[in-house]
Amino acid sequence: MKKILIPLFSVAVMVSCGTANVSNDGNTSQNSTSTKVQGDKAFLSAYKEIKADDLKKNLYVIASDEMEGRDTGSPGQKKAGEYMINYYKNLGISYPKALGSYYQKVPADFMKKRGGGNLPDSENILAFIEGSEKPNEIVVVSAHYDHVGTKNGVVYNGADDDGSGTVAVMEIAKAFQSAKKAGKGPKRSILFLHVTGEEHGLFGSEFYTDNPVFPLANTVVDLNIDMIGRDDPENRGKQYVYVIGSEMLSSELKVINEAANKKTNNLELNYKYDDPKDPEQLYYRSDHYNFAKNNVPVAFFFDGIHEDYHKPTDDVEKIDYPLLQKRTQLVFATAWEIANREARIVVDKK
């Protein structure tokens, strides 16, 4: 997650809620406001594809010393990108046709003009599953795959920030692809967006929203994942996740996310930072914000600021993999509902 604060803007806040319930063993209840996922065998089968062991396997590569802290444009970051692309190829998940490859180049000049110093050229990585009924409507699931590199010979592995989000997006893609192979692919298209340059200034997501592969007017939502593998001191040992921004632009997104949560692992959804005036200003500090400022509804999933944030001790051994799995499943369940409901979610707030 970006450390430097972004200036505060005023945004209206509104409280909403939803109800639903499905346990991790696949049992369903009958009281749900969700339009599609309740009792859906295709959903349950895909949901179970998201596994703690697979998240761990990928994270041990993405956040290994070999990746040298994945600084923007560095050889280590490019190695991580190659691993991710091979993962998508092995799953049979391609890239957007209009892009022509998995890479969207983010030029050094673009970043330099925005305070990026002498960063080299870098790349966003995009994988894509086309929708079966509403292919022109796009659900974005995003995470940044850069971190802060190596300092004084010490590798800052960034296992949580944002290795955890990176592997979560990969697992969510696998789950959607498994449903597609079973003939139950999403109605709307899903863009799995791995952005670069977040730590230096949200550069990759800004470049994407300035140069979208798919029109932002057709982009239904951005579900952004940045640090979901740990807990913070305030919530030590709890089954929780912070959710930020889910009611800023749409009166429906928070309802959908809460229903998806109650349907699945029923985590404690913490809205402490869901106020743009909060001193940490987290609404402005990760990649979802570049979508939000373009009037695309967003939800940002986050575990808090823990003692290893931006330190060389943010390592894979400290990740809570069962909790990472549950949070990943929540994002998947939310994305599934948004991708498969009849009407796209409304944008009815400013």
Side-chain angles (χ1 to χ4, degrees), residues 43-84:
F43 164 73
L44 292 171
S45 178
Y47 172 86
K48 291 176 182 178
E49 287 292 315
I50 297 171
K51 301 173 183 176
D53 286 347
D54 291 340
L55 289 159
K56 184 175 183 178
K57 176 183 176 182
N58 287 324
L59 189 55
Y60 264 73
V61 177
I62 294 295
S64 67
D65 285 350
E66 182 182 353
M67 305 308 174
E68 300 173 333
R70 306 186 309 278
D71 198 6
T72 300
S74 68
Q77 189 200 34
K78 293 181 187 297
K79 286 181 184 178
E82 290 169 2
Y83 177 83
M84 292 151 56

Side-chain angles (χ1 to χ4, degrees), residues 128-138 187-189 214:
F128 183 69
I129 295 177
E130 187 172 67
S132 60
E133 295 184 18
K134 303 172 185 288
N136 293 326
E137 294 185 13
I138 312 298
K187 289 183 178 181
R188 292 178 176 81
S189 297
F214 302 99

Side-chain angles (χ1 to χ4, degrees), residues 14-18 247 250-255 258 271 349:
M14 178 177 174
V15 177
S16 59
C17 61
E247 60 182 358
S250 173
S251 61
E252 294 180 335
L253 179 52
K254 184 176 181 180
V255 175
E258 290 191 340
Y271 298 108
K349 297 185 179 184

Side-chain angles (χ1 to χ4, degrees), residues 8-171:
L8 180 66
F9 297 86
S10 61
V11 183
V13 177
M14 178 177 174
V15 177
S16 59
C17 61
T19 59
N21 193 14
V22 174
S23 68
N24 215 10
D25 62 6
N27 294 326
T28 63
S29 72
Q30 298 303 313
N31 59 330
S32 177
T33 59
S34 177
T35 60
K36 283 291 173 187
V37 299
Q38 181 177 349
D40 188 332
K41 292 181 180 178
F43 164 73
L44 292 171
S45 178
Y47 172 86
K48 291 176 182 178
E49 287 292 315
I50 297 171
K51 301 173 183 176
D53 286 347
D54 291 340
L55 289 159
K56 184 175 183 178
K57 176 183 176 182
N58 287 324
L59 189 55
Y60 264 73
V61 177
I62 294 295
S64 67
D65 285 350
E66 182 182 353
M67 305 308 174
E68 300 173 333
R70 306 186 309 278
D71 198 6
T72 300
S74 68
Q77 189 200 34
K78 293 181 187 297
K79 286 181 184 178
E82 290 169 2
Y83 177 83
M84 292 151 56
I85 287 172
N86 286 331
Y87 174 89
Y88 286 121
K89 287 179 177 178
N90 289 335
L91 289 174
I93 301 174
S94 192
Y95 45 78
K97 291 178 183 178
L99 193 59
S101 78
Y102 292 96
Y103 291 114
Q104 182 188 44
K105 182 179 177 181
V106 181
D109 285 347
F110 177 88
M111 294 185 280
K112 187 173 184 178
K113 289 176 182 177
R114 288 155 176 78
N118 295 315
L119 291 172
D121 290 343
S122 189
E123 302 86 22
N124 294 330
I125 292 175
L126 287 70
F128 183 69
I129 295 177
E130 187 172 67
S132 60
E133 295 184 18
K134 303 172 185 288
N136 293 326
E137 294 185 13
I138 312 298
V139 174
V140 178
V141 183
S142 64
H144 71 91
Y145 74 108
D146 63 304
H147 193 51
V148 299
T150 301
K151 301 178 182 180
N152 299 318
V154 178
V155 178
Y156 287 60
N157 289 305
D160 194 27
D161 186 11
D162 187 26
S164 61
T166 299
V167 298
V169 173
M170 294 163 68
E171 280 293 288

Side-chain angles (χ1 to χ4, degrees), residues 218-237:
N218 293 349
T219 301
V220 175
V221 71
D222 174 42
L223 304 178
N224 185 49
I225 313 171
D226 191 351
M227 299 173 59
I228 60 165
R230 298 278 298 272
D231 57 12
D232 63 9
E234 185 176 332
N235 294 280
R236 194 112 297 158

